[in-house]
Amino acid sequence: MSALTEIYVDNVTRHLPEDSRPDIAAEITATIDDMVDARLGEDAAASPDRTAAIEREVLEELGDPVALSREYSNSPQHLIGPNSYSLYIWSLRWVLPIAGLIALVSNVIVTFATDPQTHLGAAIGPAIGNTVTALLTAFAVITIIIALGDRRTDGGASSSMKKRQPGTWSVDDLDRRDSHSKQIRAEAALGLVFIVVLATIPFIPTTLLYVGHLNEGGTFINPDLGVGWLVGYWAFLALMAVVEIIKFTTASAKPTVALIGGIIDVAMAVFLTIALLTQPVLHPELTNTANADIQQIITVIAIWIITVWDQVSTWRIYRRNRR
């Protein structure tokens, strides 16, 4: 497969769901090769210039890769255009489980803090209801942000088709940027935003979540927590940020970087587990003695679920970009 064909196939498959890309790429490549061979005929000693000219002719006959990708797509993509669809699906898969888990854990903790006599079973019902609300809110926010970003860049497939009249598409119009690199940069940028949010947690007041009456508007974190623990927390976040910055600047997901990122994530989880099990990390007025152990266990389990989920997502991205 020549570099030009590879670019054309990449322009088609970047608008399709990840699971179907390898098969469709192979099918399109085989079709292009067959069409080129048929036009070369018995001329096995065709010059490189003639072969390149025929390849260009074949690609222009196949037409706009955005239009071709629509023929392979199983569903319309109107609100989220093809250029942002992969990022949108990745964001939902990565953000929604974490947002739901955080909402569930925080609701259970607040329930125990407000009513020490509450049983775990009685706390789960309202927590699930609030978690569903949080998931719907996160879904709406992700959809709106990416949809607006898609409109501000190129408007998706529809505007891409409007830029030229039918039949005027040329190979010169191909986007020669690697779609994997664009996806990696977008994911790294989202990762940096998430790290910044995590870094601000020690300063977030309870009034932000309308539970300021529990500790007179103080922070969620115990104000007597040692400075060393906070410095360690921010140090791990800084290391995680360095990994994301490397991904963003290099636009690649190398196995070494992924491995280092995974080690940092696991070390961070161990650090948080030790902190939670050896001292009161949350503000004392947000917890109660009777259910303190349950709250700690739930929080630790949530941390490890998020860590495992992050590792699975990271290695799925790495495997995807090896294809």
Side-chain angles (χ1 to χ4, degrees):
M1 178 169 57
S2 71
L4 187 60
T5 296
E6 185 176 358
I7 292 172
Y8 182 87
V9 173
D10 179 70
N11 273 244
V12 176
T13 57
R14 69 176 57 175
H15 305 303
L16 299 171
E18 294 177 14
D19 295 341
S20 62
R21 291 179 187 177
D23 292 338
I24 293 176
E27 179 181 338
I28 297 174
T29 302
T31 299
I32 294 172
D33 290 342
D34 290 343
M35 293 175 68
V36 171
D37 291 342
R39 298 188 186 192
L40 286 174
E42 300 298 329
D43 188 5
S47 66
D49 290 341
R50 172 169 166 72
T51 303
I54 291 178
E55 179 187 21
R56 183 185 179 94
E57 178 183 311
V58 167
L59 295 180
E60 292 188 348
E61 182 177 319
L62 290 175
D64 189 346
V66 174
L68 183 58
S69 69
R70 284 180 166 181
E71 299 180 14
Y72 286 97
S73 178
N74 295 324
S75 60
Q77 302 166 9
H78 299 298
L79 180 62
I80 306 296
N83 290 333
S84 302
Y85 185 69
S86 298
L87 176 62
Y88 177 63
I89 295 300
W90 177 86
S91 299
L92 292 180
R93 290 175 178 173
W94 200 82
V95 175
L96 288 186
I98 294 178
L101 193 57
I102 291 175
L104 180 63
V105 172
S106 60
N107 275 280
V108 170
I109 291 176
V110 170
T111 299
F112 282 132
T114 54
D115 187 0
Q117 304 302 320
T118 301
H119 297 290
L120 180 59
I124 289 178
I128 291 177
N130 293 331
T131 300
V132 171
T133 302
L135 288 173
L136 292 175
T137 302
F139 173 80
V141 170
I142 293 171
T143 302
I144 292 172
I145 290 176
I146 295 183
L148 290 176
D150 188 69
R151 295 298 183 271
R152 291 181 63 182
T153 51
D154 61 4
S158 58
S159 68
S160 177
M161 296 295 290
K162 294 177 182 177
K163 290 179 181 177
R164 48 184 170 269
Q165 297 299 321
T168 63
W169 183 86
S170 167
V171 169
D172 297 329
D173 297 324
L174 281 174
D175 183 358
R176 298 176 185 270
R177 295 172 297 178
D178 185 5
S179 63
H180 291 326
S181 299
K182 293 169 61 179
Q183 182 74 8
I184 291 171
R185 281 200 171 100
E187 292 167 357
L190 286 176
L192 286 171
V193 171
F194 187 64
I195 290 171
V196 171
V197 172
L198 290 177
T200 62
I201 286 179
F203 307 108
I204 296 177
T206 53
T207 52
L208 186 64
L209 297 181
Y210 306 100
V211 291
H213 60 284
L214 296 177
N215 63 348
E216 299 180 351
T219 61
F220 283 94
I221 303 301
N222 185 357
D224 296 327
L225 187 66
V227 176
W229 289 101
L230 291 176
V231 172
Y233 173 72
W234 287 321
F236 275 112
L237 290 180
L239 292 174
M240 294 167 66
V242 169
V243 171
E244 297 301 328
I245 291 173
I246 292 174
K247 291 180 183 177
F248 185 86
T249 54
T250 62
S252 63
K254 297 180 179 179
T256 304
V257 176
L259 179 60
I260 293 174
I263 293 174
I264 294 173
D265 287 348
V266 173
M268 174 73 150
V270 172
F271 173 83
L272 293 176
T273 299
I274 294 174
L276 286 166
L277 296 181
T278 57
Q279 60 193 310
V281 175
L282 294 177
H283 197 290
E285 295 182 15
L286 298 179
T287 61
N288 62 80
T289 305
N291 297 301
D293 292 340
I294 295 177
Q295 292 173 346
Q296 288 178 334
I297 292 173
I298 292 175
T299 306
V300 169
I301 291 175
I303 288 172
W304 282 102
I305 290 176
I306 293 173
T307 301
V308 172
W309 178 267
D310 185 35
Q311 301 313 303
V312 172
S313 299
T314 299
W315 287 105
R316 283 184 62 186
I317 293 171
Y318 169 68
R319 289 182 60 190
R320 180 197 70 199
N321 290 315
R322 288 186 61 191
R323 295 172 181 173

